Amino acid sequence: MHSVGWLRGFLGAALLTAAASPAWSLEASDIKPRPGLILTNTVFATVNAGGSSFGYMDTEDHFTLSAVGADGLTYQIKMSAPGNEKVEELARRLKWPRHVRAEDLETSSRMTLLYASTDPENYGGQTFAETSKKVLAALKAGGPVPFVFGPYEGARGDANPLAAVGQGGGAKAAPPKPGAGGSPLIPDMGAMFHMLFGSARHYFRGNLQRVEPQDVQVPVLVNGVRVDLPAVHAAGMFTFGQEEPLRAEVWWLDNPQWPLTLHWIFGPASDLITRIDWPEGEGGAAGAAGAAGGGVQAMAAQLASKSCRVELHGVYFNSGSAVLLDESEPMLRQVAELVKASPAAQLTLEGHTDNIGSAEYNQGLSERRAAAVRDALVGRFGVPAGRLSAKGYGLTRPVESNATVQGRARNRRVELTRPCAAH
């Protein structure tokens, strides 16, 4: 179980990091369901497979909104995996839909946590990546609010069913220092994976109460730009049968039209949204985000600026891997258009990583990721090979602190650069 003190320190450090980054105007109401929007969910944990440990690393899953309509929202869930061939082979099959009905988005006070290959597409009466408008309004009115969380039994730390899948791993990192009293701060990913493959949900019941009387700020990368999003923070104790009660905490975006779950903690499991990306040219907030972090014209202007570089925020890889995910296609199309139209004769794709693992490991990973993007642009999108080179810098050029999950998410990036004279 995470300690509340650690979590507040975690968010505080992240806010200090975010404060040093350029800000741009974005309202909570601008974060709304739209087809193609992708949520990147990140957990820092120790990952074990085949009796060997991948060590402590960030693992990222992606929820893509594939349909938004009068009947509700449909997500496509993509589970990421460490850079191990056998584990990645399994992860490629772990992609399935989840539909949330319109009536549940209005009134449901039940939410499923995590997901499994055995799940039905629709859990009637429950939400998935958000809570209902009714629950958010009740919390803001003062609560308490009766609520039900539906994790898998693996939330209590059962065995890891991936133990027979992979051998060895990529990144190695020393375990983090324990918190006060010597208790570990990081959950074992085995429990998380067991939720994914669990056969039974356990429904924990209790009451949620708003923790602070006002919104708290949660830092998220929105179309590649660091933004502090206002959230309602709620917590409470929850029980299932005769088992010991568990404390739950959740941070919901303070947007009455879509109270997106930005962060939750339940037992040894937790989840944090580090990125929200959506296609450019959607109008409204998409236009604002495009001016700051994306869109071909905006990227061209940023590349032509004194920085001589632009971050490719919509490029996704498996965790610890240089395997490009299908979710990268919209950004790759835009980058190909940008490169073809650029007056620069030669451009460079630069790969960068966080500091989880050795310098040697991260150097190789950054080189492979930059090369993977180049290969895709040349091989699938018709960019002349002579226009692009690829280079990796590993962990040597962080743009935010590696002490937070949010900072490391920002540091794992690919940038497009042009030759730049000294200023």
Side-chain angles (χ1 to χ4, degrees):
M1 190 75 186
H2 295 259
S3 69
V4 175
W6 166 79
L7 181 63
R8 288 175 179 162
F10 166 89
L11 289 175
L15 288 172
L16 289 175
T17 298
S21 302
W24 56 285
S25 177
L26 183 80
E27 301 295 330
S29 58
D30 293 328
I31 308 295
K32 57 187 177 183
R34 66 191 84 215
L37 181 145
I38 299 176
L39 306 172
T40 299
N41 299 266
T42 305
V43 174
F44 181 49
T46 179
V47 182
N48 299 297
S52 299
S53 176
F54 287 91
Y56 286 89
M57 66 184 300
D58 293 325
T59 63
E60 295 180 335
D61 294 347
H62 306 290
F63 302 164
T64 301
L65 269 172
S66 58
V68 178
D71 63 339
L73 306 177
T74 301
Y75 297 90
Q76 288 288 337
I77 303 168
K78 176 67 171 65
M79 176 184 167
S80 186
N84 172 281
E85 184 177 348
K86 291 184 179 179
V87 177
E88 285 190 10
E89 182 180 352
L90 173 62
R92 281 193 291 270
R93 301 198 300 268
L94 298 180
K95 186 173 182 178
W96 51 85
R98 171 63 61 83
H99 182 74
V100 183
R101 303 181 309 177
E103 56 264 42
D104 296 328
L105 294 169
E106 293 290 332
T107 63
S108 176
S109 59
R110 298 164 68 95
M111 187 173 76
T112 55
L113 297 182
L114 297 179
Y115 36 91
S117 56
T118 56
D119 284 343
E121 180 175 344
N122 191 335
Y123 269 102
Q126 305 181 40
T127 58
F128 172 58
E130 61 281 294
T131 193
S132 67
K133 299 175 183 179
K134 179 179 179 180
V135 166
L136 184 72
L139 285 171
K140 294 179 70 172
V145 179
F147 202 80
V148 178
F149 287 102
Y152 278 100
E153 56 186 342
R156 304 196 67 91
D158 295 344
N160 178 6
L162 284 187
V165 176
Q167 294 291 336
K172 298 285 185 179
K177 295 181 180 180
S183 59
L185 301 180
I186 307 302
D188 190 310
M189 200 63 180
M192 302 289 288
F193 278 141
H194 190 70
M195 283 188 181
L196 297 176
F197 293 89
S199 59
R201 284 196 184 273
H202 287 176
Y203 289 97
F204 287 76
R205 290 169 168 79
N207 290 319
L208 285 172
Q209 186 84 44
R210 192 171 188 177
V211 177
E212 298 87 0
Q214 69 285 330
D215 286 350
V216 298
Q217 302 298 308
V218 177
V220 181
L221 288 168
V222 180
N223 278 9
V225 179
R226 175 66 69 208
V227 177
D228 290 341
L229 296 179
V232 173
H233 175 203
M237 300 303 295
F238 286 76
T239 60
F240 172 77
Q242 300 302 311
E243 296 184 14
E244 181 179 351
L246 293 177
R247 180 174 172 83
E249 291 191 73
V250 64
W251 288 255
W252 279 307
L253 177 68
D254 191 359
N255 176 4
Q257 297 307 309
W258 193 35
L260 180 66
T261 306
L262 299 176
H263 186 30
W264 60 257
I265 297 174
F266 193 90
S270 69
D271 188 271
L272 174 70
I273 287 184
T274 52
R275 291 181 180 270
I276 302 174
D277 297 294
W278 61 74
E280 307 302 336
E282 297 286 331
V296 176
Q297 291 183 347
M299 288 194 296
Q302 193 169 348
L303 186 63
S305 71
K306 290 184 178 181
S307 70
C308 305
R309 64 184 58 242
V310 59
E311 181 179 335
L312 311 183
H313 64 84
V315 173
Y316 303 98
F317 297 93
N318 269 332
S319 300
S321 165
V323 175
L324 271 169
L325 301 181
D326 294 342
E327 288 80 0
S328 304
E329 294 298 297
M331 175 55 74
L332 292 175
R333 283 195 295 270
Q334 292 187 28
V335 176
E337 182 180 344
L338 172 63
V339 173
K340 292 174 183 178
S342 173
Q346 180 74 33
L347 298 170
T348 302
L349 289 158
E350 295 183 356
H352 302 272
T353 69
D354 60 28
N355 69 342
I356 301 298
S358 68
E360 180 182 8
Y361 167 78
N362 281 292
Q363 180 62 35
L365 179 61
S366 68
E367 292 172 359
R368 293 192 301 275
R369 286 184 167 180
V373 175
R374 181 186 181 276
D375 290 347
L377 292 173
V378 172
R380 300 206 306 274
F381 294 94
V383 173
R387 297 288 309 281
L388 278 177
S389 61
K391 188 172 183 178
Y393 289 93
L395 50 75
T396 63
R397 297 187 177 183
V399 290
E400 292 191 14
S401 170
N402 278 306
T404 68
V405 174
Q406 292 99 326
R408 290 194 299 275
R410 178 73 183 280
N411 292 334
R412 296 188 296 271
R413 68 196 190 279
V414 175
E415 296 179 337
L416 181 69
T417 69
R418 64 177 176 86
C420 195
H423 294 284

